[in-house]
Amino acid sequence: MSGPALPAGLRKLAPAERKALWERLYFDGTEAAAAGNAGSEALELSDLLVESAVGALTLPLGIAQGFLIDGRRYDLPLAVEEPSVIAAAGYAARIVAEGGGFVTEADEPLMESYVYLEGVSAEGEARLASEGAEARIRAALGAIQGSLERRGGGYRGRRVYRLPETGLVALELSVDVRDAMGANILNTAAETVKSQAEELSGGKALMCILSNASPRRLARARFELPLAALAPFARGFSADEAARRVVLAWRLADEDPARAVTHNKGIMNGVASLAQATLNDTRAVEAAAHAWAARSGRLRSLSRYEIADGSLRGAIELPLALGAVGGSVDLHPAGKAALRLLGDPDSRRLARIAAALGLAQNFAAVLALVTGGIQKGHMRLHAARLAYKAGARGDDARRAADIVAAGGAYTLAAAEAAVASLRAGAGS
Ligand code: MEV
């Protein structure tokens, strides 16, 4: 079912007109518009960030508390629509804190950008790979990367290679992007050296673009949890057995790509929510993580678990190109507030926090899955959504959700009946 058509020249309308039109045509009354679309200040920002803005989606923002990362307490801002994500992150964080928390590290923020050239002869390829070419590229990039170099970043070297299928020659530039996510720096770098690359190689550039793969911008997190500390969370299993099942669940994800997709999706539940809350590029982070997980030619788990010395050990490694400055990150007040809550981290610290969060999210999911399943907890949260859909608000939504959960039938009809019974009770 499609809604009413929007005018073709939508982008030419004033932002407030676009917003009013959008809300009039597509929201079910002013209450729905107020819940679903942010106000005029947010619209102004949206208009700056995207074309044809009609509003700002009010994605839930919550705080996962109780993280102990490298000896420091953190509350993590997460923006996500899925009910269980923040609850699960906080739950795992509290369990892991019992064992001393997460230990993390992150590589230097090195990323790659490419000029892809066609029609390059073997001699042209050799000229592009020569020391003389290196000096010219370095000089050209030095001229535009002064402020990046003053902050400790800048050009770090290049690689030239030919792709066998297309015959294209790639000029790969490595750049330390410091606290930025890096897209602008990297794309500018490739475009800056394009004419030199064409001249040196005798070829013609097909495109200049960064790679989001970021295989050298990795972050890692690990934890060690004494089995005795796991025992209270093993839901009827012994701690040894729960830990054994967690390890087997990791081996399953590492073996069966069908399971790895979902296992890694659970990790990204946390990572992408933190990226979203800090106004980072969630798609870049997702694309890089999944490509990294498949780097062996088979999709594998981003995390791993083992039992050693009476403890369950968890670890994760993944590329995390998160910016702490630039883009929308330090422009958007919501991004700035999220970063302030995190203690205004640099990009490497942010990546370390995200790695710990991804591991926490994974541990919560896997532990729940192997000790009785996730649906019971999920359905309780689902009941609250059904109650909202049935028209309950505030305390009534919670009460109606309790009635639905107690009845065990998670349907809209059950929620409507619960709301009706509450209203009847209030009226009597
Ligand atoms: C749900 O969003 C995430 C999980 O499916 C992750 C997993 O299966 O590991 C619970």
Side-chain angles (χ1 to χ4, degrees):
M1 196 178 66
S2 63
L6 291 166
L10 186 67
R11 73 187 169 83
K12 294 188 194 129
L13 298 182
E17 281 177 309
R18 263 185 254 132
K19 183 174 191 287
L21 182 67
W22 173 244
E23 291 178 357
R24 183 162 54 74
L25 294 180
Y26 278 89
F27 283 89
D28 201 8
T30 45
E31 191 195 333
N37 205 10
S40 53
E41 288 295 321
L43 175 66
E44 184 164 348
L45 206 49
S46 295
D47 196 48
L48 194 73
L49 297 177
V50 304
E51 183 163 304
S52 294
V54 293
L57 183 67
T58 54
L59 201 58
L61 175 69
I63 311 292
Q65 293 197 288
F67 275 80
L68 184 58
I69 303 173
D70 302 316
R72 186 182 153 181
R73 296 253 160 218
Y74 284 93
D75 289 342
L76 308 188
L78 305 185
V80 62
E81 89 300 339
E82 189 176 328
S84 57
V85 168
I86 295 175
Y91 182 69
R94 284 190 290 280
I95 301 176
V96 170
E98 302 279 317
F102 297 91
V103 176
T104 68
E105 56 184 60
D107 296 338
E108 296 291 334
L110 261 189
M111 286 183 68
E112 284 76 38
S113 193
Y114 295 81
V115 183
Y116 291 105
L117 299 142
E118 63 178 336
V120 178
S121 64
E123 298 75 47
E125 185 182 345
R127 264 196 312 277
L128 192 58
S130 69
E131 285 306 310
E134 164 69 6
R136 282 182 62 181
I137 288 168
R138 189 173 286 281
L141 291 178
I144 60 152
Q145 290 185 339
S147 87
L148 182 60
E149 284 175 7
R150 278 191 292 284
R151 284 180 278 125
Y155 176 62
R156 291 290 181 268
R158 103 223 113 135
R159 197 161 68 96
V160 175
Y161 58 91
R162 190 179 292 271
L163 293 157
E165 286 175 25
T166 56
L168 291 167
V169 165
L171 167 63
E172 176 191 87
L173 308 169
S174 292
V175 180
D176 182 327
V177 300
R178 286 291 96 191
D179 287 324
M181 177 271 190
N184 283 335
I185 294 171
L186 292 158
N187 290 337
T188 303
E191 288 186 8
T192 299
V193 303
K194 174 183 156 186
S195 56
Q196 270 129 333
E198 287 183 329
E199 198 187 302
L200 285 157
S201 69
K204 176 102 186 110
L206 177 69
M207 66 172 77
C208 300
I209 189 71
L210 87 159
S211 171
N212 289 115
S214 348
R216 294 199 284 165
R217 197 174 179 179
L218 300 176
R220 294 165 209 88
R222 60 190 155 81
F223 70 81
E224 191 165 328
L225 186 65
L227 292 177
L230 177 63
F233 308 100
R235 298 205 293 183
F237 288 82
S238 71
D240 290 34
E241 178 59 2
R244 188 193 66 80
R245 290 169 71 87
V246 166
V247 174
L248 186 57
W250 156 64
R251 289 178 51 211
L252 163 66
D254 216 44
E255 179 175 13
D256 184 356
R259 172 59 199 146
V261 170
T262 315
H263 180 95
N264 291 342
K265 184 270 183 186
I267 290 169
M268 299 315 284
N269 272 346
V271 174
S273 305
L274 180 67
Q276 191 73 78
T278 53
L279 275 289
N280 263 285
D281 182 339
T282 55
R283 288 84 53 218
V285 171
E286 290 268 3
H290 298 303
W292 176 253
R295 68 193 180 285
S296 66
R298 184 172 98 195
L299 188 70
R300 290 179 176 276
S301 168
L302 287 166
S303 64
R304 65 184 295 136
Y305 294 89
E306 63 174 1
I307 300 168
D309 301 331
S311 289
L312 175 67
R313 291 181 182 165
I316 192 169
E317 177 183 67
L318 74 170
L320 279 165
L322 292 169
V325 297
S328 306
V329 174
D330 58 358
L331 168 73
H332 201 294
K336 287 205 293 194
L339 288 172
R340 206 173 308 136
L341 176 66
L342 296 172
D344 285 319
D346 62 10
S347 75
R348 290 172 75 194
R349 169 57 57 191
L350 187 56
R352 292 165 67 163
I353 294 168
L357 170 63
L359 182 56
Q361 207 77 56
N362 179 240
F363 179 48
V366 170
L367 183 63
L369 286 168
V370 301
T371 58
I374 56 170
Q375 259 337 66
K376 205 163 161 226
H378 280 200
M379 291 317 277
R380 212 171 299 124
L381 295 164
H382 185 52
R385 289 198 292 189
L386 287 171
Y388 186 92
K389 269 193 185 171
R393 297 289 182 273
D395 275 353
D396 269 1
R398 269 175 251 289
R399 276 190 219 115
D402 287 345
I403 296 171
V404 170
Y410 294 90
T411 61
L412 186 57
E416 282 166 351
V419 172
S421 76
L422 283 174
R423 285 189 184 144
S428 63

